[in-house]
Amino acid sequence: MAAASSAVCSWMMEACMSVAFENDSSVSMISMAPHSRLSRWASRRRKMVLAKCAPQFYGIREVMAVAMQPANEVVPNKKPSTKHRRVVVTGLGLETPLGNDPDVFYNNLLEGVSGVSEIEAFDCSQFPTKIAGEIKAFSTDGWVAPKLSKRMDKFMLYMLTAGKKALADGGITEDVMDEINKARCGVLIGSAMGGMKVFNDAIEALRISYRKMNPFCVPFATTNMGSAMLAMDLGWMGPNYSISTACATSNFCILNAANHIIRGEADMMLCGGSDAAIIPIGLGGFVACRALSQRNADPSKASRPWDSNRDGFVMGEGAGVLLLEELEHAKKRGATIYAEFLGGSFTCDAYHMTEPHPEGTGVILCIEKALAQSGIPREDVNYINAHATSTPAGDLKEYQALIHCFGHNPELRVNSTKSMVGHLLGAAGAVEAVATVKAIRTGWVHPNINLENPDDGVDTNVLVGPTKEKLDIKVALSNSFGFGGQNSSILFSPYK
């Protein structure tokens, strides 16, 4: 039977090819000219046989169409329209030096509490900097399996707990999880530094023998593994990766996550950033860069954006995660909508590894592109959570760029969350996005602490003072910049 079937198939293919050649005038003129009457009879005979046995084989195009069709055709779902796919924030989760609950965290910010203190995780007596925004009490109980907690780097543990807290805050219960389409839910949480502790421990083990190395040292050191592990835990099969753009990481992740929703590729996205670099190699590296404050005698006063006596930034650690959701999807499940995500932009200074462009051109371009992309008039932006790290050059260049873009707005208020938590590196943008969303929700913006002697040329009427201020936010902008000249700006507004 098999041989017969094969013979029939071969004959039919030859017949089909003959028909194909006949349709090609150049081939038929060459091959059929000497026997025109016979060739016409043969052609009619082949067509009659093909029409009787398999009508769909009549003609080369039909043959090819059938050959290319799968046995069980899979019809893809029609891509949702992107014209009116609005993105909203429905969940917040974080781990910070000022608390691991969004309300506690933001209340501490409003009260001007500093999370900067002496480092306790290791002996740093030999370092010129001995302070950081360190998380003193952290627990994974109820969030991460004990076996994984012992093996994972802290940046992953911060990420997993913050991500799950954002889900819980967004009302994603087990029942809701069972109902949502997990193929349309994704995770995009990045890290600037990755698993530094895991990698460092592997190097120390290698000094003895490779047999002493943690078998998980490679996967648990890579920046994408936190997002991957969270997706595995949740069963979310949508877009899943991480972006690493130094201290602009979180904003890059948030904007790209929102774009997946806008393009109809996802309905829900967990996004943000995480870092845990307060270890000897992390501290030593930034000391070598001469980037850190050495105000060890008074840690709470060390991070002082725009103050003329600032002497560098203060390292921080933690994670921030936002649950972004397509508006109609959120409304259908009855979610609480905290704010609307309007859009944003990225640029590169293309100037220097660590220093900002002297004219602030990259930052200005980034802000202007963010406004243009989201269709927001610049006069509508009346609150800015600035990158402002407490470095001599960076703070002033950002301030000048902000004045260039928004200086004519008498309602403009600007602050820096880093004055209280330090610089959380790749997690900074997401934690500050949480602060921005909380400002929209509460109508209060937090103070700039330690701003005692402002830089020359800095208008203190633009900067928030030493205590919280009431503000009806129309549109809020959050900036994050990173080594390599990475610039990012994202925009939020009240949901209406």
Side-chain angles (χ1 to χ4, degrees), residues 89-422:
V89 182
T90 56
L92 304 170
L94 43 69
E95 299 289 345
T96 77
L98 283 182
N100 55 20
D101 175 86
D103 290 336
V104 172
F105 163 73
Y106 199 64
N107 286 336
N108 282 330
L109 287 180
L110 291 178
E111 295 303 315
V113 177
S114 175
V116 179
S117 59
E118 293 183 4
I119 295 172
E120 298 177 1
F122 60 94
D123 179 13
C124 56
S125 58
Q126 301 304 310
F127 291 89
T129 293
K130 303 173 177 62
I131 57 175
E134 188 179 43
I135 296 177
K136 304 299 186 184
F138 171 68
S139 173
T140 60
D141 291 349
W143 301 107
V144 182
K147 184 180 291 186
L148 289 176
S149 292
K150 294 177 182 178
R151 292 174 170 171
M152 283 182 175
D153 192 277
K154 262 191 175 179
F155 98 94
M156 292 178 66
L157 297 176
Y158 290 156
M159 186 186 296
L160 290 173
T161 54
K164 290 187 176 181
K165 287 176 180 179
L167 284 180
D169 184 61
I172 306 298
T173 62
E174 290 186 9
D175 290 340
V176 174
M177 191 71 83
D178 290 339
E179 294 177 359
I180 62 177
N181 183 355
K182 294 183 177 64
R184 296 186 57 78
C185 299
V187 185
L188 209 176
I189 309 174
S191 176
M193 310 300 288
M196 293 187 70
K197 178 68 163 56
V198 166
F199 200 75
N200 184 74
D201 290 348
I203 293 173
E204 294 301 316
L206 186 60
R207 296 181 189 278
I208 303 171
S209 169
Y210 74 88
R211 293 184 177 87
K212 297 291 185 181
M213 294 175 69
N214 179 351
F216 297 96
C217 66
V218 171
F220 283 177
T222 56
T223 59
N224 76 300
M225 199 54 64
S227 281
M229 294 297 290
L230 183 54
M232 291 176 206
D233 200 347
L234 302 175
W236 283 18
M237 299 169 65
N240 184 280
Y241 56 101
S242 69
I243 295 173
S244 185
T245 48
C247 302
T249 289
S250 286
N251 278 11
F252 273 69
C253 291
I254 292 169
L255 180 51
N256 276 277
N259 285 338
H260 282 299
I261 295 175
I262 292 168
R263 291 195 298 264
E265 299 162 356
D267 295 323
M268 302 175 71
M269 293 289 297
L270 285 169
C271 55
S274 179
D275 262 317
I278 304 177
I279 58 174
I281 191 172
L283 181 65
F286 281 110
V287 165
C289 287
R290 299 180 181 179
L292 298 182
S293 170
Q294 297 182 18
R295 198 182 291 263
N296 300 310
D298 196 358
S300 64
K301 298 284 187 180
S303 185
R304 42 198 316 114
W306 300 297
D307 189 84
S308 59
N309 294 319
R310 64 190 182 279
D311 66 331
F313 77 82
V314 176
M315 284 182 69
E317 64 178 352
V321 177
L322 282 69
L323 176 61
L324 298 185
E325 194 166 353
E326 193 273 325
L327 175 59
E328 297 305 318
H329 189 275
K331 289 165 64 176
K332 185 176 180 180
R333 70 177 186 86
T336 299
I337 297 174
Y338 295 142
E340 181 167 3
F341 180 83
L342 300 178
S345 184
F346 319 127
T347 61
C348 178
D349 280 351
Y351 171 73
H352 191 273
M353 282 192 297
T354 59
E355 293 296 316
H357 192 284
E359 303 301 323
T361 52
V363 174
I364 292 170
L365 178 62
C366 186
I367 293 170
E368 290 179 344
K369 286 178 64 178
L371 294 172
Q373 184 271 338
S374 56
I376 300 298
R378 65 185 64 226
E379 55 269 20
D380 284 359
V381 177
N382 63 340
Y383 170 58
I384 297 172
N385 190 299
H387 180 64
T389 61
S390 188
T391 54
D395 291 8
L396 191 56
K397 294 305 177 185
E398 181 184 13
Y399 171 83
Q400 291 169 349
L402 295 178
I403 294 302
H404 174 88
C405 294
F406 306 105
H408 296 295
N409 187 348
E411 297 180 3
L412 182 66
R413 310 301 291 149
V414 180
N415 63 10
S416 172
T417 303
K418 293 182 183 71
S419 65
M420 287 172 271
V421 299

Side-chain angles (χ1 to χ4, degrees), residues 14-32:
E14 291 175 5
C16 293
M17 294 303 294
S18 297
V19 174
F21 291 146
E22 183 180 327
N23 288 338
D24 189 324
S25 58
S26 61
V27 174
S28 61
M29 285 177 66
I30 294 172
S31 61
M32 301 300 183

